[in-house]
Amino acid sequence: MNTLVKHGKLQHHIFILAVMIGLSAIADKIKIPYPVLLIIVGVAIGFIPSLPSIDLNPEIIFLIFLPPLLYDAAFNISFKEFKTNISTISTLAITLVFLTAIGIAVVAHYMIPGMTWPLSFVLGAILSATDAVAAMSITKGLGLSHKTNTILEGESLINDASA
């Protein structure tokens, strides 16, 4: 902990968390899914030339930010309906993720100079899995059937492992 405070990284993590919470509140007020607003703001911030680099420790993300999000997504799914739709969920979570990862790998290999096949497949695996929380928040107001929501939630929760 002293290392984080000494180098100012704790302040960066708290600042990023505060920005995310603020953007989530703004997204609720203007009635758009918060992942969409987070992406728009993230891309906009990425184009600011004089912004200092902020290094995020992946262990902090895996320990602090990710578990509550995944727990919330998993808590809302009905295990009975999940079991009923397991074949559809598995097809989407394994086959579709596998095909998407291959597609991304092929495109990355030929479009990015110097991209080797192993790196292309790593990029494909990272990008092919959808985010469980984002998928549900984006589809929340669309009036989808309960079965469709269960399939989307189940697929989103399993596809990270298959990727």
Side-chain angles (χ1 to χ4, degrees), residues 4-5 14 17 21 25 33-34 51 62 68-69 74-75 80 86 90 94 110 116-117 128 132 135 146 149 154 156 163:
L4 284 175
V5 174
I14 292 172
L17 184 60
I21 291 169
Y34 75 90
L51 196 67
F62 289 132
L69 294 173
F75 188 75
K80 181 183 174 203
I86 193 68
S90 298
I94 297 168
Y110 290 111
T116 64
W117 279 112
S128 64
H146 190 66
N149 277 333
S156 295

Side-chain angles (χ1 to χ4, degrees), residues 99-109 120-121 123-129:
L99 293 173
T100 304
I102 290 172
I104 291 171
V106 169
V107 170
H109 181 74
S120 298
F121 279 105
L123 180 64
I126 291 169
L127 296 178
S128 64

Side-chain angles (χ1 to χ4, degrees), residues 79-139:
F79 182 71
K80 181 183 174 203
E81 291 182 34
F82 178 83
K83 224 167 92 174
T84 303
N85 297 303
I86 193 68
S87 65
T88 305
I89 291 169
S90 298
T91 300
L92 290 171
I94 297 168
T95 309
L96 189 59
V97 169
F98 182 73
L99 293 173
T100 304
I102 290 172
I104 291 171
V106 169
V107 170
H109 181 74
Y110 290 111
M111 298 288 288
I112 301 172
M115 180 71 89
T116 64
W117 279 112
L119 284 176
S120 298
F121 279 105
V122 168
L123 180 64
I126 291 169
L127 296 178
S128 64
T130 58
D131 175 27
V133 178
M136 292 321 301
S137 68
I138 289 172
T139 60

